[in-house]
Amino acid sequence: MTSHFPTTPVMRSFVTAGKFAAAGVFGAILLSAPVKAQEFIGILTGGTSGVYYPMGVAISKILTEKVKGSRPSVQATKASVENLVLLQQGKGEIAFTLGDSLAFAWEGNEEAGFKTKQTKLRGMAAIYPNFVQIVASKDSGIKTLADLKGKRLSVGAPKSGTELNARAILAAAGITYKDLGKIEYLPFGESVDLMKNRQLDATLQSAGLGVAAIRDLASSVAINVVEIPAAVVDKTGAPYIKGIIPKGTYTGQDTDVATAAVVNYLVTRSDLSDNAVYEMTKAIFDNLDELRSAHSAAKDIDIKKALEGMPVPMHPGAERYFKEHGVAK
């Protein structure tokens, strides 16, 4: 169902007041009866053990409280690629996505999972960076990217944003899927379960720092967080940037670890009204403290960076909000 919620509908009815005997005429009284609109806002996230999902739950709570008449719902998905396809089909109003997936969607990159150009996508805001986090069990002996050869690795759901990241990073490191001993295409939580059962040596997860699945793994299995060297990030190219996973992010991680990062975005659809998207954007960015309480990754959301690197046109409603705050011209 397409959502439109710029103004609560007003039902107007004319009621005959009665007959004025002297004048012989009828009068009418206009009665206004406000009817609360059903404002369904589908929020497309990712797996429940990632970062998108708890962040989506927090946004749902904010919209419920701050956007009168809204009825948000949170949908767990395979994340970026699926979210963008669903959004193009009109099956959602807000979606989380990685920047590279968004760029591929806009250009209609079939290899990345987009059969046609996803022309209905519109930007809401850049949010926080995803860090490509490769975590191996200590028992596997994996300490470097080269050590992954011949090992069992999970790269995320097929053609998910995480899997696209995996392909790009491994290619820049001179590693193909054929070089691996076994490859699994699994969500974060399932990857961790296999590692706990010694059925998998490593997992690559693209998410905000402190992702629940890796925290869970590190609390029960001794791990190595594998470095992605600056040279590999440089070879990968845009939209990848250099990042750091600070020591102590996960149990047993005693040093800072260099890695790659990609910016996440919130996107919406071109056919939503300007006022609807304005109200959603305003609610989110006026209440960032609530998002930060939901997940530590949200601490990196900065209104001053909300338009940086957006691969698709901004929605006019979101743009209006940022113009009011001196971010957009």
Side-chain angles (χ1 to χ4, degrees), residues 4 12 31 45 51 57 74 83 90 168 172 175 194-195 197 227 241 246 254 257 265 271 296-297 310 324:
H4 301 283
R12 291 185 170 86
L31 299 179
T45 60
V51 176
V57 171
V74 181
N83 290 352
I175 301 170
L194 286 186
M195 288 186 70
N197 295 329
E227 178 186 32
I241 58 176
D254 299 326
V257 177
Y265 293 91
D271 57 324
S296 59
M310 180 65 72
E324 290 178 356

Side-chain angles (χ1 to χ4, degrees), residues 98-112:
L98 279 166
D100 53 347
S101 299
L102 185 54
F104 287 144
W106 186 248
E107 68 184 41
N109 187 311
E110 192 165 355
E111 187 176 344

Side-chain angles (χ1 to χ4, degrees), residues 1-301:
M1 178 182 289
T2 303
S3 294
H4 301 283
F5 55 99
T7 309
T8 302
V10 177
M11 302 297 294
R12 291 185 170 86
S13 61
F14 289 94
V15 178
T16 303
K19 186 175 182 180
F20 293 92
V25 296
F26 290 93
I29 301 173
L30 180 64
L31 299 179
S32 295
V35 177
K36 186 177 181 180
Q38 294 184 350
E39 311 298 358
F40 294 106
I41 306 172
I43 304 171
L44 306 172
T45 60
T48 55
S49 58
V51 176
Y52 286 174
Y53 187 81
M55 203 84 79
V57 171
I59 288 176
S60 174
K61 182 173 182 290
I62 290 169
L63 295 179
T64 299
E65 294 174 351
K66 306 297 181 181
V67 180
K68 187 176 180 180
S70 67
R71 297 189 179 184
S73 63
V74 181
Q75 184 174 339
T77 68
K78 294 178 183 177
S80 299
V81 177
E82 183 180 15
N83 290 352
L84 297 172
V85 171
L86 289 172
L87 203 59
Q88 174 73 16
Q89 295 171 348
K91 297 177 181 177
E93 283 64 50
I94 299 175
F96 286 79
T97 181
L98 279 166
D100 53 347
S101 299
L102 185 54
F104 287 144
W106 186 248
E107 68 184 41
N109 187 311
E110 192 165 355
E111 187 176 344
F114 304 102
K115 294 181 180 179
T116 60
K117 294 182 177 181
Q118 310 296 290
T119 56
K120 293 182 181 178
L121 304 179
R122 292 295 182 271
M124 284 183 72
I127 41 177
Y128 63 92
N130 254 26
F131 293 81
V132 181
Q133 301 166 73
I134 303 175
V135 179
S137 64
K138 277 193 182 295
D139 288 347
S140 71
I142 298 170
K143 296 180 180 179
T144 68
L145 290 176
D147 293 335
L148 290 169
K149 292 181 179 180
K151 301 294 186 178
R152 301 166 297 179
L153 173 69
S154 177
V155 293
K159 292 187 176 179
S160 62
T162 290
E163 203 246 322
L164 294 180
N165 289 176
R167 287 178 182 271
I169 295 298
L170 292 177
I175 301 170
T176 69
Y177 282 0
K178 292 180 181 179
D179 294 323
L180 301 171
K182 184 180 181 182
I183 191 158
E184 296 281 4
Y185 299 88
L186 296 171
F188 296 172
E190 291 178 36
S191 301
V192 164
D193 288 341
L194 286 186
M195 288 186 70
K196 288 179 179 179
N197 295 329
R198 300 177 184 272
Q199 295 174 280
L200 197 63
D201 298 308
T203 175
L204 184 150
Q205 303 192 4
S206 182
L209 294 175
V211 62
I214 300 178
R215 288 205 315 269
D216 176 34
L217 175 66
S219 68
S220 56
V221 175
I223 63 167
N224 290 327
V225 180
V226 181
E227 178 186 32
I228 300 176
V232 172
V233 180
D234 289 340
K235 189 172 181 180
T236 308
Y240 294 88
I241 58 176
K242 299 179 187 71
I244 294 289
I245 304 172
K247 65 179 180 180
T249 299
Y250 301 107
T251 302
Q253 182 199 343
D254 299 326
T255 61
D256 292 349
V257 177
T259 192
V262 187
V263 174
N264 285 291
Y265 293 91
L266 288 178
V267 290
T268 186
R269 302 198 318 265
S270 58
D271 57 324
L272 293 191
S273 74
D274 291 1
N275 195 59
V277 177
Y278 172 83
E279 290 296 337
M280 292 190 295
T281 307
K282 176 179 171 60
I284 293 167
F285 276 83
D286 282 1
N287 295 278
L288 287 180
D289 285 347
E290 289 190 35
L291 276 188
R292 290 167 183 145
S293 296
H295 201 285
S296 59
K299 71 181 184 346
D300 291 322
I301 300 177

